[in-house]
Amino acid sequence: MDPVFDRLEATIRARRDAPADTSYTASLFAKGRPKIAQKLGEEAVETVIAACSGDEASIVPEAADLIFHLAVLLADAGLSLDDVRAELVRREGVGGLVEKAARTG
């Protein structure tokens, strides 16, 4: 994938079993998937707020938080950003409306 994302995912995996009181990432895993998903949702909302604020520079740190929490959720599910990449590759060349119809079919 990308070296930065590879290092991020490796760090997340390494901290999964760390003591929850020494690692934010470990504390997320200790709280379980519902808490991880909640944090992902919060970061998504913060990204939307930043996007609507008119301050484009404020989007970047929020997007980084969003991607981090997404990577934690994926790791919790035994998945990775490479799995997301594979899905995007699968969808390449398929119009969005066609792809959505195929999922909800």
Side-chain angles (χ1 to χ4, degrees):
M1 185 146 175
D2 175 277
V4 172
F5 289 131
D6 290 344
R7 288 192 304 272
L8 174 64
E9 288 186 315
T11 300
I12 288 168
R13 285 191 304 272
R15 292 189 181 156
R16 182 175 193 148
D17 297 320
D21 62 344
T22 63
S23 164
Y24 174 71
T25 304
S27 73
L28 286 173
F29 284 121
K31 292 174 184 171
R33 190 172 300 172
K35 182 62 174 180
I36 296 168
Q38 177 188 349
K39 287 301 297 178
L40 178 64
E42 289 171 8
E43 297 304 338
V45 169
E46 290 173 12
T47 303
V48 169
I49 292 168
C52 294
S53 74
D55 176 14
E56 278 70 18
S58 70
I59 298 169
V60 174
E62 296 302 341
D65 289 346
L66 180 61
I67 291 170
F68 167 79
H69 287 87
L70 174 61
V72 172
L73 179 68
L74 291 169
D76 187 66
L79 301 167
S80 72
L81 292 169
D82 282 339
D83 295 306
V84 175
R85 176 189 292 250
E87 177 62 13
L88 291 171
V89 167
R90 184 191 70 76
R91 293 181 185 187
E92 249 181 310
V94 178
L97 295 176
V98 171
E99 193 282 328
K100 186 174 181 178
R103 282 188 286 147
T104 59

